[in-house]
Amino acid sequence: QNLCVCCYRFSTFVEICCCFAYKMAMRLIGPVMFIGANILIVSVALIFLFHFLPDISDNSNTTSIFANYLFGLWLLLNILFNYVCCSLTSPGNPIYCADPGRILGESVSILDGQKVYETTYEVEVEKFVYYRYCFQCKCIKPPRSHHCRVTEKCVLDMDHYCPWMNNCVGYGNYRYFLLYLMYMFLGSLYVIGFIIFECVVLSKTDKEFINRQSIFQVNFLQLREISAASYSFTLAVSALISVGLLLAWHVYLTLSNQTTIEFYVNLENHYRAKLENVIFTNPFDEGWRKNIRRVFGDAPWYRDLLPSSRKPPAPKFPFSLDDTSGTLLA
């Protein structure tokens, strides 16, 4: 028995140490990854705008060059705007609640002939939909909210903590996150296509020069061009693959009205429902059209073609159960 107690205490100590190490690592690495990502994005954009476009200006008409400049700047503006907004916008946090029993209610039991009141810390308002009390934050967590171990706060509609954003992705900034992925994917595809196009339409003179010269005879200008193309192409392909997979995943989550955390929770709920011979349905899924509005609201789709800042639409289940205290959104 003593051995079991020692093993339990040791495993608990290891878990606490691992959580602390992960939290500190994310807090230290997050700003570095945020700055590094911006440097990489801007560097590729500068190479594209001030190296590749001027390089083909002699072989293209002015209208084509101007259109490429506008399209490239439009992509860069949307990428940086949504990236910075996602990083700096709070995902939303429930406010402090000193008396959860007043809102969540109390249970009554009889002990030695006397009534004993116990605070209820969890209320199920619908199948698999709960309002819970967080003992760490001292707040009531609305449905879809979770406690983030990195920020040490409860986050509304929490999806995940993103070290690249140096922020938690949730209710208040998920639209920025999804738009960033979309524009980053388009930007990577555009850079890759442009570089391939430039290589395919390489002038006959340049081809003959490369065929005549050995690699040791290529001058500094050719080396710079090859290096710039290789650098941009490598980063763009890496971003296209990684961002593309992440974008596909979050498009699926958006259409099915789930968060990353909820996806795994729903797998468990589906298994529990199967054991109870009950058909599990996602309580937040309202059809793909309404699910898209859950992220983008009722604004016309073309508003997201340019940087726009607006509040997310109201959730299906309110953030507050107490009409006298106002919203639980901090």
Side-chain angles (χ1 to χ4, degrees):
Q1 184 177 2
N2 291 333
L3 180 61
C4 293
V5 172
C6 291
C7 291
Y8 174 76
R9 289 178 177 176
F10 178 74
S11 62
T12 304
F13 174 75
V14 172
E15 181 182 0
I16 293 174
C17 290
C18 291
C19 291
F20 178 77
Y22 171 76
K23 178 180 67 177
M24 296 307 298
M26 289 297 99
R27 289 186 175 183
L28 293 174
I29 295 174
V32 177
M33 296 179 72
F34 174 78
I35 296 173
N38 277 282
I39 291 175
L40 293 177
I41 293 171
V42 173
S43 64
V44 172
L46 291 177
I47 290 174
F48 173 79
L49 293 173
F50 298 104
H51 179 75
F52 290 127
L53 284 182
D55 188 51
I56 66 167
S57 59
D58 296 335
N59 302 322
S60 302
N61 57 52
T62 306
T63 305
S64 175
I65 295 296
F66 183 71
N68 276 285
Y69 266 114
L70 283 182
F71 189 70
L73 289 172
W74 172 72
L75 285 173
L76 178 62
L77 179 64
N78 278 287
I79 289 172
L80 292 178
F81 175 83
N82 288 292
Y83 185 69
V84 172
C85 283
C86 182
S87 178
L88 299 182
T89 302
S90 170
N93 312 107
I95 62 174
Y96 177 79
C97 178
D99 186 10
R102 183 173 61 89
I103 300 175
L104 297 179
E106 296 177 332
S107 60
V108 182
S109 59
I110 304 298
L111 182 64
D112 296 332
Q114 295 182 343
K115 291 183 178 181
V116 178
Y117 295 90
E118 294 182 357
T119 300
T120 301
Y121 294 107
E122 179 179 283
V123 174
E124 186 176 19
V125 294
E126 192 177 300
K127 189 65 174 177
F128 302 115
V129 179
Y130 300 91
Y131 285 84
R132 294 185 172 99
Y133 184 72
C134 178
F135 291 92
Q136 294 174 282
C137 295
K138 300 294 187 295
C139 67
I140 296 176
K141 297 189 298 183
R144 320 188 80 172
S145 302
H146 301 275
H147 186 83
C148 177
R149 294 184 178 182
V150 178
T151 60
E152 295 183 335
K153 295 179 181 179
C154 285
V155 177
L156 300 174
D157 288 9
M158 179 177 174
D159 189 90
H160 67 287
Y161 179 83
C162 181
W164 290 102
M165 298 294 173
N166 192 33
N167 196 6
C168 216
V169 178
Y171 172 76
N173 59 357
Y174 186 75
R175 183 179 71 92
Y176 296 125
F177 179 75
L178 191 58
L179 286 174
Y180 163 74
L181 294 180
M182 292 179 181
Y183 282 112
M184 190 66 183
F185 180 79
L186 287 176
S188 302
L189 195 63
Y190 180 56
V191 171
I192 292 171
F194 193 91
I195 293 176
I196 293 176
F197 174 78
E198 185 183 12
C199 293
V200 171
V201 299
L202 195 64
S203 66
K204 182 178 179 180
T205 304
D206 290 338
K207 287 182 179 179
E208 291 176 352
F209 175 83
I210 293 174
N211 291 332
R212 288 198 314 267
Q213 304 294 324
S214 69
I215 189 171
F216 301 104
Q217 295 174 312
V218 177
N219 61 33
F220 173 75
L221 293 178
Q222 276 73 42
L223 285 176
R224 188 183 67 174
E225 183 174 351
I226 293 172
S227 299
S230 300
Y231 173 79
S232 301
F233 188 80
T234 302
L235 287 181
V237 169
S238 301
L240 184 73
I241 296 173
S242 57
V243 172
L245 293 174
L246 192 59
L247 175 61
W249 169 246
H250 280 278
V251 167
Y252 163 73
L253 292 178
T254 299
L255 294 177
S256 58
N257 204 339
Q258 300 181 88
T259 64
T260 300
I261 296 176
E262 283 174 353
F263 174 80
Y264 296 102
V265 172
N266 287 342
L267 288 179
E268 181 181 351
N269 290 337
H270 186 274
Y271 177 74
R272 287 166 51 194
K274 188 176 181 181
L275 293 178
E276 300 172 1
N277 293 323
V278 178
I279 298 176
F280 171 76
T281 56
N282 179 8
F284 304 103
D285 190 358
E286 301 178 289
W288 66 271
R289 284 189 175 89
K290 288 186 178 179
N291 293 342
I292 292 177
R293 293 194 192 102
R294 194 268 303 186
V295 177
F296 296 97
D298 295 322
W301 62 269
Y302 51 80
R303 282 193 59 182
D304 290 313
L305 294 179
L306 291 174
S308 62
S309 176
R310 60 181 184 271
K311 292 183 178 180
K316 179 180 179 180
F317 296 93
F319 289 143
S320 174
L321 287 176
D322 183 16
D323 295 333
T324 63
S325 66
T327 178
L328 286 178
L329 177 61

